[in-house]
Amino acid sequence: MKYFPVVLALLVSLASAATLKNSQGSDEISIPVFVQTLNQLQRGPPLPPSTKRANVETRWFNQSLDNFDDTNKDVWDQVSAITSGLWVDIAKEHNGSLVYTEHRFFGESIPITPLSTKNLKYQSVEQALADVVNVIKVLKEEDKYKDSKVVISGCSYSASMAVWFKLLYPDVIVGSWASSAPLDAIVDFSDFMEVVGRAYRQLGGDYCYDLIDNATSYYEDLFQTGQGAKAKKLLNLCDSFDENNERDQWQIFSSIANIFAGIAQYQKPENYDLAQYCSVLRSFDDDDASALSQFVQWRLGKPECVNTRYQGTVDYYKWSKNNYDGSGLGWFYQTCRQFGWFQSSENKNHPFGSTFPATLYTDTCHDVFGSQYTSAKIEEYIQATNKKYGGKHPAVENVYMTHGGLDGWSRVGSDSATIIPQASHCSDSGSISPTDSAALRAAKERLIELVREWLA
C-alpha cells in the first residue's frame, strides 16, 4: 500500500519591502512599521536549504467559495507546493507523496475580490479545513492514491489546523503532527511577551534584557512627562507621528516589541542567535536608549524615518482591501473574527514597557472591518472558537503536539504538548541534525515512531 502524508501548511506571501504598488502597478504606498513587524512576527519559519532535487508538481484544485452553503455555486482555484525538512524524510521512508496546501486568501489562492469585510466572511479556519478535505477527496479518486492513508502536519497556525482537522474530520486521516500550535483563542494575549523576555534573558544575558528594559522605560517616561517631541526625534519617527496621540504611542512601543519578538521566534539556541543579536544591539551605542533606536532602525532597513502611526495602519489595511498585500489583511481579519492572540503589554514581566494594550488591536479591528467589531463582539467571537475546538484541551486522538520552551505561542498551546527546552517556534520542522539537542532529537524520533504506528 502506498501511503499519503499530507503537509497542511500556509504558503505565506507577506510583504517584506517597505512599499507596495497598487493593483494597477502605480502609486506606491508605504507599509506602516506596525504592519511590517506584525507580518514578520506572523511569517512562517525559514525553509531549510534543500540538497536534493525533487519531482515537484504544482496543481490547481477547484474549490467551492462556501463549503457549507449548497446554494452557493461559486468556485475558485487553489494551488499547492512542496517544502522540505523532517516531513520529507518521513515521506521517503514510507514511499509517500507530499502535498503542501495553500490557505485561501494567502499566496495565489484568492477566492473572491475585493477583500471587503463582506467577502472576507469566506476567510475562516472552517472553510480552509473543508478545502483540504476536498483536496484529499479529489486525490483519492485517482488510482495512485485511492488506497492511501493520510497523515497531516502543520507548523504554527497550520499546526492549529492540523489539530482541528482531526477533531472535525477524524475519519479522513489517521494522525496529525502539530508543531507549535496555538489552540486557546484569547483577546488579550499578554503572556506572549513574557516568554520573549525570558528568551532574551536566558540566551542573551541579563545585560541584554536590562538594556531593552532601560531604553523602553526611558522612552515611556519621555512621553508620559510631556517630552514626546524629544522621544520622536530620538526614535527618528516620521513627521506624521503625533507624539500626543495615545494610539500612536501604543503603535511605536508595540512595533519595537514585535521586532524583538520576531527575532526570538525562530532563534536557534545552538547558533547562539539571541546572544549575537544582543551583541549587535550593544555595539550601536553605550547609551541604552540610543542603542535601541539604532538597532530598531537597522532591523527596519535603515528607513529615512520610522513610519508608524495608528491612522496610517487603519488606512493601509483599508487600502489593501482593493490592493492585495499578501496574507496580511486576511490574517488580521481572522484574528479579529476567530482567534484574537493580540500581544499586549499587560503582563509586566518583560522588558517592553506597559504602553501597548490589546485595545490597540481591537480598535484597529473596529476601524478596519466595521462597527460590528466592538470589543464585546470580538470577545464573543473568540469564545465561540474555544467552545467549538476545546481550547487547550481538544478532544482528539493520534495527534502529536510539540512546543519550544522559549516560544511565546506555547502559552496558548496544549497542556499535553511535548516541550523542547530553549527551543523556539516550529523548532522541530527540520531534518534530524547533529546540532539538535537531545530533547529536540527525541521529539523528532518520537514523531517518526508515531507515524509508523499510524500507518501500520
Side-chain angles (χ1 to χ4, degrees):
M1 179 181 293
K2 182 157 184 174
Y3 301 115
F4 176 30
V6 176
V7 177
L8 172 62
L10 302 180
L11 186 60
V12 180
S13 180
L14 294 174
S16 57
T19 60
L20 282 177
K21 291 184 178 181
N22 68 15
S23 56
Q24 285 73 45
S26 60
D27 299 330
E28 288 189 346
I29 184 171
S30 177
I31 304 176
V33 163
F34 179 69
V35 176
Q36 290 183 52
T37 61
L38 276 184
N39 287 351
Q40 285 299 310
L41 189 58
Q42 295 159 358
R43 75 193 189 282
L47 294 177
S50 178
T51 58
K52 302 176 182 178
R53 295 180 62 87
N55 181 20
V56 177
E57 175 188 6
T58 298
R59 293 179 59 174
W60 290 85
F61 294 83
N62 194 265
Q63 298 277 21
S64 297
L65 176 62
D66 190 336
N67 290 293
F68 308 106
D69 182 359
D70 292 337
T71 66
N72 189 331
K73 303 302 181 183
D74 292 338
V75 296
W76 57 288
D77 289 330
Q78 180 186 39
V79 64
S80 62
I82 296 294
T83 187
S84 59
L86 183 58
W87 210 233
V88 172
D89 303 335
I90 292 173
K92 182 177 179 181
E93 175 186 338
H94 297 283
N95 191 30
S97 296
L98 286 175
V99 177
Y100 186 110
T101 63
E102 183 177 79
H103 194 295
R104 56 171 55 202
F105 288 98
F106 298 163
E108 297 181 60
S109 300
I110 309 299
I112 189 172
T113 56
L115 303 189
S116 61
T117 304
K118 178 182 178 181
N119 287 341
L120 281 172
K121 70 180 181 181
Y122 299 112
Q123 170 69 325
S124 70
V125 66
E126 291 80 16
Q127 295 283 1
L129 291 173
D131 290 339
V132 178
V133 172
N134 184 53
V135 170
I136 295 172
K137 179 181 177 181
V138 170
L139 288 171
K140 293 194 75 170
E141 289 174 351
E142 301 174 10
D143 289 341
K144 182 180 180 180
Y145 299 118
K146 65 180 182 180
D147 296 321
S148 295
K149 294 181 180 180
V150 181
V151 180
I152 66 173
S153 111
C155 147
S156 196
Y157 163 51
S158 58
S160 311
M161 294 174 66
V163 175
W164 297 334
F165 191 104
K166 195 69 172 72
L167 180 69
L168 298 184
Y169 305 100
D171 298 329
V172 176
I173 61 175
V174 296
S176 295
W177 170 33
S179 177
S180 303
L183 296 176
D184 188 28
I186 185 172
V187 174
D188 191 346
F189 187 14
S190 61
D191 288 346
F192 182 88
M193 290 300 172
E194 179 185 4
V195 181
V196 174
R198 188 188 313 139
Y200 277 93
R201 189 183 291 280
Q202 287 188 16
L203 302 179
D206 287 344
Y207 89 91
C208 187
Y209 184 102
D210 292 342
L211 190 165
I212 299 168
D213 193 21
N214 292 339
T216 304
S217 297
Y218 175 77
Y219 287 119
E220 283 187 328
D221 185 63
L222 288 181
F223 282 113
Q224 291 166 5
T225 57
Q227 302 179 74
K230 181 178 180 179
K232 179 177 177 178
K233 181 178 180 180
L234 291 174
L235 289 166
N236 192 28
L237 304 182
C238 295
D239 290 342
S240 58
F241 181 91
D242 183 353
E243 63 268 25
N244 298 311
N245 184 300
E246 187 177 42
R247 288 186 177 89
D248 282 11
Q249 294 177 26
W250 293 350
Q251 284 233 324
I252 181 58
F253 287 106
S254 179
S255 298
I256 291 171
N258 287 345
I259 287 171
F260 284 99
I263 294 170
Q265 181 152 298
Y266 293 113
Q267 61 83 18
K268 293 183 180 297
E270 67 271 19
N271 294 340
Y272 303 99
D273 289 338
L274 292 194
Q276 292 186 60
Y277 275 109
C278 287
S279 294
V280 172
L281 170 61
R282 178 75 285 170
S283 71
F284 277 112
D285 203 299
D286 290 336
D287 178 79
D288 293 348
S290 177
L292 182 137
S293 176
Q294 293 183 62
F295 182 84
V296 165
Q297 293 175 73
W298 172 66
R299 288 294 296 173
L300 293 173
K302 296 185 177 179
E304 183 177 343
C305 62
V306 176
N307 171 28
T308 182
R309 63 188 181 94
Y310 178 79
Q311 192 58 46
T313 293
V314 171
D315 292 344
Y316 175 81
Y317 278 135
K318 287 184 175 180
W319 173 88
S320 61
K321 290 182 178 182
N322 293 295
N323 300 274
Y324 183 61
D325 77 328
S327 62
L329 180 67
W331 174 249
F332 188 67
Y333 172 81
Q334 281 189 272
T335 62
C336 297
R337 185 62 179 81
Q338 292 194 288
F339 308 130
W341 296 330
F342 301 136
Q343 290 111 340
S344 79
S345 59
E346 186 64 25
N347 183 323
K348 309 304 181 186
N349 299 316
H350 60 77
F352 306 112
S354 58
T355 25
F356 49 101
T359 310
L360 167 62
Y361 291 85
T362 56
D363 283 359
T364 307
C365 295
H366 177 275
D367 292 347
V368 173
F369 298 118
S371 58
Q372 69 271 33
Y373 284 85
T374 62
S375 295
K377 196 64 177 178
I378 293 170
E379 183 68 42
E380 182 181 320
Y381 290 148
I382 271 60
Q383 291 308 316
T385 297
N386 286 332
K387 183 177 181 180
K388 181 169 187 175
Y389 295 110
K392 291 185 175 183
H393 307 283
V396 293
E397 296 180 348
N398 289 3
V399 176
Y400 181 55
M401 291 177 273
T402 59
H403 270 292
L406 292 178
D407 175 19
W409 294 101
S410 65
R411 288 297 188 93
V412 287
S414 171
D415 291 336
S416 61
T418 295
I419 302 299
I420 305 168
Q422 293 198 327
S424 57
H425 202 53
C426 302
S427 58
D428 52 349
S429 58
S431 300
I432 291 177
S433 165
T435 62
D436 290 346
S437 67
L440 179 56
R441 184 182 182 92
K444 294 178 179 180
E445 290 176 340
R446 178 56 180 157
L447 172 67
I448 293 170
E449 293 174 358
L450 287 171
V451 172
R452 288 171 184 158
E453 293 176 12
W454 296 338
L455 295 179

